[in-house]
């Protein structure tokens, strides 16, 4: 009797009595899948996790052609009888070829495999086999042949429909560690035949299945691996089959229910900070401003302050393109918190950005009595201890820092506002740890990576959103050009012209140092070459992530002061670096960068009134994805259009850090392809949460969602 259970650890898969899967192979499969999912412990991987490892595509091998029906380059399955087999060495014995000759009643074929001499034992003379592959006509041999075909050896008891790898619709899987698509297909074939309504129970309410026209879960898990014959195979390959639809909606629905629960938790939380805004505080805010806010900034600040004054903790996302002025809005919100007697904390992902924020905020608040401090991991222990003590006593009103803000020993006297910049770079639990340092503080998260609406509905579905779409006066759009290697001399002449006119330039490389694995230019060697050979009359500086914080700070200070003309750097300058006099951004190997990263790098220029330029120097434009990314960069500077395209090209997993806490939020759903189902799931989640008292079958699903760390229900808001 099978021990099948969806929640059974995959290391025990051998208990399901699957042919060729013993304890050792079960452990290897669990380890490979854990690595794919980003999980450290293979013991946590379940049979259900394996079943959600879906085929890349599906092939129809159900029609058995006869040899006489084969055509050049035709993909087909044929049933033949083995006549002759043998192996022989080629290329001086470095490789072997195993080949067989086989026939049916209409002709003869040849099949061959590279480096598989053991197949001689698999194909005895007279064996009936099904072969599937792309057939080509061999003129000298005067027969069709196939290279490395999939095969199925049939016994006398076998019926053609019982074949796993041929003679049917078959799934094609991405290789998983040492497990090939053929081996995975065999495992799944025996596994899905053990799935029943009892051992794979329904997770969604009956009314949801009926309302959204979804098939039962156990049927979806079976069909998604071995398609039914009624649904067109194109529907499976385009993820439109009933099985795909069912599992995609479940993927989206779980997240939308989690976001609904997070919002409810936040609204039930007692308000910690008691914020009020009167004429005195308004005057303090006005006195700090060195310029007039744009309409977008004013609107965002009004929304933030309204939330801070409300009886529930603020949980707001401040979204704006590079250079839109989010930081000044966040600073004014921090001033409101401080004027009400609370501390404010700003957490950023890198030390160079923390140092820049601290420098700018101290300058803006120089005429106030506030104490502003920087807390990073590179400080000496004695300095950290002093800052920790001052924070705990309430002597520091505003602290800016990296993840050092959430390390052991950091205690706040009265933390009322948490601002998290470039928040997608922090995991859910990191963000939550800072929030826990206060008593239900107001939370403002910021990102300069514009977020498409479909992604905002998922990653930020429980946050209120403020949007700054306009740019401060005096900013001019950056002109962007795509160039190839032959344009390098002209590019260098253009940079020299700009520097002679009193401007500065960035040259960005993908690597810090030379790599044996990648033939790419690197910042360290090129900085030396540019200084000695290309720009000997100018001052060339170098900045990269491997430098000590004090070194990085010194380089940025000199570049900001105009003591460096050309800054050679890696993507350490991607976020937050603000040098208004820099007008040229040259990105080497631009095809190696993602769209969002290219947009962030371009945002380092165009921060002053002078016309600015971004030059994308591509070394390899052979892939269509690279060509498409660079085309988009040349055509638009609108970060929101770029974000939509980035989501479309790359998918959601990497773009906004949705794979947080060691598990992906989506196993099957895709935000671009399935956005119509996302909207459907959002409405259904609201309906279910509103009626949960009448739906006792919903309780186990909600409890399961609460236990999943990737949803952050025990940690945020």
């Amino acid at each position: 009797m099978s021990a099948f259970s969806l929640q059974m650890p995959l290391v025990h898969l051998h208990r399901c009595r699957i042919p060729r899967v013993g304890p050792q192979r079960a452990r290897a499969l669990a380890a490979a899948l854990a690595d794919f999912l980003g999980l450290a412990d293979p013991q946590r991987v379940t049979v259900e996790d394996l079943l959600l490892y879906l085929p890349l595509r599906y092939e129809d091998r159900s029609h058995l052609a006869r040899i006489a029906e084969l055509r050049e380059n035709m993909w087909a399955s044929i049933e033949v009888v083995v006549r002759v087999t043998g192996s022989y060495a080629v290329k001086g014995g470095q490789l072997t070829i195993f080949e067989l000759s086989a026939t049916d009643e209409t002709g003869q074929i040849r099949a061959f495999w590279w480096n598989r001499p053991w197949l001689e034992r698999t194909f005895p003379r007279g064996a009936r086999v099904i072969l599937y592959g792309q057939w080509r006509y061999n003129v000298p041999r005067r027969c069709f042949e196939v290279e490395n075909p999939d095969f199925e050896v049939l016994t006398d008891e076998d019926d053609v429909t019982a074949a796993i790898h041929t003679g049917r619709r078959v799934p094609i899987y991405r290789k998983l560690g040492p497990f090939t698509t053929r081996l995975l297909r065999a495992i799944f074939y025996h596994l899905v035949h053990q799935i029943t309504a009892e051992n794979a129970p329904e997770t969604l309410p009956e009314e949801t299945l009926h309302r959204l026209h979804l098939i039962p879960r156990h049927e979806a898990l079976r069909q998604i691996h071995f398609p039914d014959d009624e649904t067109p195979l194109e529907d499976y390959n385009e993820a439109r089959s009933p099985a795909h639809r069912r599992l995609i909606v479940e993927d989206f629905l779980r997240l939308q229910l989690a976001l609904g629960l997070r919002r409810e938790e936040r609204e039930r939380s007692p308000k910690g900070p008691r914020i009020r805004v009167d004429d005195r505080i308004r005057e303090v805010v006005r006195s700090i401003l060195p310029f007039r806010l744009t309409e977008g900034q004013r609107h965002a600040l009004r929304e933030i302050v309204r939330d801070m004054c409300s009886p529930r903790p603020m949980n707001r996302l401040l979204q704006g393109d590079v250079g839109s002025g989010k930081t000044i809005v966040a600073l004014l919100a921090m001033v409101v918190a401080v004027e009400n007697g609370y501390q404010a904390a700003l957490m950023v992902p890198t030390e160079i950005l923390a140092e820049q924020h601290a420098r700018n905020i101290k300058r803006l608040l120089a005429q106030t009595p506030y104490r502003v401090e920087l807390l990073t991991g590179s400080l000496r222990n004695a300095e950290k201890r002093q800052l920790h003590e001052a924070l705990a006593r309430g002597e520091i009103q505003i602290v800016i820092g990296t993840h050092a803000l959430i390390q052991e020993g950091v205690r706040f006297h009265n933390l009322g506002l948490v601002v998290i910049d470039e928040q997608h770079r922090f995991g859910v639990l990191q963000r939550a740890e800072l929030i826990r340092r206060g008593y239900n503080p107001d939370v403002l998260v910021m990102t300069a990576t514009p977020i498409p609406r479909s992604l905002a509905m998922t990653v930020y579905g429980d946050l209120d959103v403020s949007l700054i779409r306009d740019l401060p006066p005096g900013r001019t759009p950056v002109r962007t050009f795509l160039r190839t290697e032959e344009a390098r001399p002209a590019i260098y002449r253009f940079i020299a012209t700009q520097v002679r006119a009193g401007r500065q330039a960035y040259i960005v490389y993908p690597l810090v140092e030379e790599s044996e694995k990648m033939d790419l230019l690197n910042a360290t060697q090129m900085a030396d070459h540019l200084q000695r050979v290309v720009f000997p009359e100018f001052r060339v500086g170098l900045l990269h992530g491997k430098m000590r914080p004090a070194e990085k700070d010194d380089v940025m200070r000199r570049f900001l002061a105009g003591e460096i003309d050309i800054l050679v750097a890696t993507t350490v300058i991607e976020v937050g670096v603000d040098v208004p006099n820099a007008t040229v951004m040259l990105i080497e190997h631009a095809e190696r960068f993602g769209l969002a990263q290219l947009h962030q790098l371009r945002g380092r220029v165009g921060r002053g009134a002078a016309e600015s330029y971004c030059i994308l120097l591509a070394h390899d434009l052979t892939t269509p994805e690279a060509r498409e990314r660079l085309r988009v960069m040349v055509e638009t500077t609108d970060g929101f259009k770029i974000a939509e395209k980035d989501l479309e090209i790359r998918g959601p997993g990497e773009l906004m850090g949705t794979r947080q806490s060691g598990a992906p939020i989506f196993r099957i759903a895709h935000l671009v392809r399935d956005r119509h189902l996302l909207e459907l799931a959002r409405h259904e989640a609201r309906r279910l949460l509103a009626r949960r008292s009448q739906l006792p079958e919903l309780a186990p699903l909600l409890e399961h969602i609460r236990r999943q760390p990737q949803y952050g229900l025990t940690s945020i808001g």
Side-chain angles (χ1 to χ4, degrees):
M1 182 179 174
S2 169
F4 180 90
S5 161
L6 286 182
Q7 298 313 312
M8 183 176 75
L10 192 57
V11 292
H12 298 153
L13 184 65
H14 57 284
R15 297 177 183 175
C16 293
R17 300 184 180 178
I18 295 174
R20 299 174 62 196
V21 176
Q24 186 174 348
R25 181 160 276 177
R27 288 193 295 271
L29 183 58
L33 188 56
D35 185 58
F36 173 75
L37 294 174
L39 298 173
D41 184 6
Q43 299 282 339
R44 290 176 53 197
V45 180
T46 66
V47 168
E48 182 176 27
D49 291 324
L50 179 63
L51 287 168
L52 294 177
Y53 187 80
L54 300 191
L56 279 173
R57 67 181 191 279
Y58 304 83
E59 292 179 354
D60 189 353
R61 304 180 182 178
S62 58
H63 171 66
L64 288 177
R66 292 186 297 179
I67 293 175
E69 297 170 344
L70 295 177
R71 297 291 179 268
E72 183 68 14
N73 292 322
M74 178 180 178
W75 290 85
S77 296
I78 62 171
E79 182 181 348
V80 290
V81 177
V82 176
R83 298 303 182 195
V84 181
T85 67
S87 293
Y88 52 91
V90 293
K91 294 193 175 181
Q94 297 178 23
L95 300 172
T96 62
I97 291 179
F98 168 76
E99 73 169 72
L100 64 78
S101 176
T103 60
D104 69 5
E105 65 275 14
T106 68
Q108 177 177 325
I109 58 90
R110 170 183 178 253
F112 63 96
W113 293 260
W114 293 89
N115 290 331
R116 297 193 199 175
W118 51 267
L119 285 178
E120 288 199 52
R121 300 189 298 273
T122 304
F123 296 107
R125 181 180 171 83
R128 290 167 52 226
V129 299
I130 296 176
L131 301 175
Y132 175 81
Q134 186 175 25
W135 296 88
R136 293 186 172 90
Y137 192 73
N138 186 318
V139 175
R141 291 175 182 257
R142 294 167 54 178
C143 72
F144 277 94
E145 65 182 17
V146 63
E147 181 179 358
N148 295 325
D150 278 338
F151 61 86
E152 188 80 11
V153 180
L154 303 175
T155 65
D156 290 340
E157 293 78 29
D158 276 329
D159 185 275
V160 169
T161 57
I164 298 174
H165 306 289
T166 54
R168 64 179 302 131
R169 293 172 157 195
V170 298
I172 307 298
Y173 298 94
R174 179 191 297 110
K175 191 169 182 281
L176 185 60
F179 291 82
T180 62
T181 186
R182 181 181 175 83
L183 184 51
L184 288 169
R185 189 185 302 128
I187 291 171
F188 279 116
Y189 178 81
H190 293 286
L191 192 59
V192 299
H193 279 82
Q194 300 183 41
I195 298 175
T196 66
E198 288 69 38
N199 59 30
E202 187 52 65
T203 55
L204 302 182
E206 185 66 35
E207 67 172 59
T208 295
L209 297 181
H210 179 73
R211 185 163 43 240
L212 303 185
H213 308 292
L214 304 176
I215 65 174
R217 192 165 196 259
H218 70 281
E219 288 185 18
L221 289 172
R222 281 204 302 253
Q223 292 178 20
I224 207 160
H225 290 284
F226 288 90
D228 65 299
D229 293 330
E230 289 74 39
T231 306
L233 201 62
E234 308 89 77
D235 287 359
Y236 278 93
N237 278 317
E238 295 176 15
R240 294 195 315 249
S241 74
H244 283 91
R245 177 185 167 87
R246 156 62 209 239
L247 295 175
I248 289 167
V249 169
E250 182 173 335
D251 238 2
F252 281 145
L253 189 58
R254 285 172 186 255
L255 181 70
Q256 294 303 316
L257 287 169
L259 294 173
L261 292 172
R262 281 167 66 167
R263 186 176 285 275
E264 288 177 358
E265 280 186 6
R266 179 163 54 88
E267 290 175 352
R268 284 196 304 268
S269 299
K271 172 75 169 179
R274 304 284 178 173
I275 301 292
R276 63 179 182 82
V277 175
D278 54 21
D279 289 341
R280 182 189 65 81
I281 292 176
R282 291 188 191 94
E283 185 53 41
V284 170
V285 168
R286 273 194 293 269
S287 69
I288 289 168
L289 274 177
F291 46 74
R292 284 180 58 82
L293 295 178
T294 66
E295 181 52 42
Q297 289 173 319
R298 284 197 297 273
H299 182 71
L301 183 60
R302 281 195 297 270
E303 291 180 327
I304 291 165
V305 171
R306 185 185 64 221
D307 277 5
M308 293 173 69
C309 294
S310 77
R312 64 180 178 86
M314 174 174 68
N315 205 24
R316 184 167 285 276
L317 169 69
L318 178 57
Q319 229 194 126
D321 212 339
V322 288
S324 61
K326 297 177 300 301
T327 305
I328 192 67
V329 172
L331 174 60
L332 297 177
M334 289 191 278
V335 168
V336 169
V338 170
E339 284 296 319
N340 277 269
Y342 295 99
Q343 293 170 299
L346 169 60
M347 187 164 77
V348 299
T350 66
E351 289 205 0
I352 195 167
L353 186 53
E355 291 156 5
Q356 180 172 290
H357 277 317
R359 191 164 49 242
N360 292 340
I361 289 173
K362 284 182 178 181
R363 177 171 47 81
L364 288 167
L365 301 182
Q367 303 305 313
T368 71
Y370 313 149
R371 182 177 172 186
V372 179
E373 294 291 354
L374 172 68
L375 180 57
T376 63
S378 62
L379 292 175
R380 292 193 295 270
N381 287 335
E383 293 175 299
K384 285 184 192 173
R385 233 179 355 260
Q386 290 175 355
L387 290 178
H388 291 172
E389 291 169 2
L391 271 175
R393 291 193 298 266
E395 295 169 3
I396 297 172
Q397 282 74 44
I398 296 175
V399 61
I400 300 107
T402 57
H403 61 279
L405 291 176
I406 59 175
Q407 289 178 342
E408 195 66 36
V410 178
R411 298 286 181 272
F412 289 87
H413 177 70
N414 195 10
L415 180 60
L417 174 63
V418 171
V419 181
I420 301 173
D421 194 14
E422 288 302 318
Q423 74 91 35
H424 63 279
R425 295 179 174 224
F426 296 102
V428 168
L429 301 180
Q430 284 180 301
R431 300 197 300 266
E433 181 59 37
L434 180 56
I435 293 167
R436 272 200 291 270
R437 302 297 168 109
Y439 177 64
N440 289 324
D442 289 316
V443 178
L444 178 66
V445 296
M446 302 193 298
T447 179
T449 305
I451 305 162
R453 181 173 179 271
S454 54
L455 192 57
M457 284 168 56
T458 57
V459 181
Y460 304 118
D462 64 323
L463 274 69
D464 301 307
V465 179
S466 291
L467 183 61
I468 304 176
R469 289 212 78 132
D470 50 5
L471 293 176
R475 291 284 174 87
T476 55
V478 178
R479 297 178 63 189
T480 304
F481 303 91
L482 174 60
R483 295 291 184 264
T484 51
E485 183 61 32
E486 54 268 24
R488 182 179 295 278
I491 294 170
Y492 285 161
R493 287 195 297 272
F494 177 73
I495 291 173
T497 301
Q498 287 285 304
V499 175
R500 289 192 191 101
R503 305 300 178 193
Q504 293 164 280
Y506 297 96
I507 302 180
V508 175
Y509 296 90
L511 298 180
V512 175
E513 296 166 335
E514 188 175 9
S515 168
E516 293 181 2
K517 296 181 180 179
M518 290 182 283
D519 185 22
L520 303 177
L521 297 178
N522 67 85
T524 306
Q525 284 183 335
M526 288 305 297
D528 180 62
H529 171 75
L530 291 169
Q531 179 67 88
R532 286 187 302 103
V533 179
V534 183
F535 301 117
E537 63 185 291
F538 304 132
R539 297 163 295 182
V540 177
L542 174 65
L543 182 70
H544 57 74
K546 291 186 177 181
M547 296 167 68
R548 290 195 299 272
E551 290 178 300
K552 288 188 287 188
D553 192 46
D554 180 60
V555 171
M556 280 311 304
R557 180 192 59 75
R558 289 191 291 126
F559 189 55
L560 185 60
E563 297 168 11
I564 292 174
D565 302 308
I566 300 169
L567 183 61
V568 175
T570 59
T571 55
V572 70
I573 63 158
E574 176 187 348
V575 175
V577 174
D578 188 2
V579 181
N581 191 49
T583 57
V584 182
M585 166 66 67
L586 169 61
I587 304 174
E588 293 268 10
H589 294 284
E591 75 279 3
R592 306 282 304 187
F593 297 90
L595 256 178
Q597 201 168 39
L598 289 171
H599 183 59
Q600 289 285 347
L601 288 169
R602 178 169 60 185
R604 298 311 103 214
V605 294
R607 306 182 78 84
E611 187 165 35
S612 296
Y613 308 87
C614 177
I615 303 167
L616 308 172
L617 184 52
H619 297 240
D620 179 8
L621 287 174
T622 55
T623 67
E625 292 84 2
R627 291 196 298 272
E628 179 68 3
R629 281 198 303 273
L630 300 181
R631 181 191 65 78
V632 171
M633 283 294 295
V634 171
E635 288 182 357
T636 183
T637 57
D638 186 326
F640 291 90
K641 289 180 182 175
I642 288 170
E644 285 284 358
K645 197 66 185 178
D646 201 16
L647 181 62
E648 185 180 318
I649 293 172
R650 282 204 289 164
E654 194 180 346
L655 184 58
M656 290 302 300
T658 51
R659 284 191 65 163
Q660 299 179 86
S661 303
I665 288 181
F666 300 134
R667 295 288 181 85
I668 300 161
H670 189 285
L671 285 171
V672 175
R673 182 194 66 204
D674 308 319
R675 61 180 72 192
H676 63 294
L677 295 179
L678 172 61
E679 193 69 41
L680 195 72
R682 194 159 70 103
H683 290 305
E684 184 65 17
R686 288 178 176 174
R687 184 185 287 117
L688 292 176
L689 288 174
R691 297 191 57 244
R692 81 186 78 174
S693 59
Q694 294 112 48
L695 295 170
E697 66 269 37
L698 187 63
L701 178 58
L702 295 182
E703 184 55 36
H704 173 77
I705 290 170
R706 285 192 179 94
R707 291 197 303 267
Q708 301 308 303
Q710 65 264 36
Y711 297 129
L713 278 165
T714 59
S715 56
I716 287 188

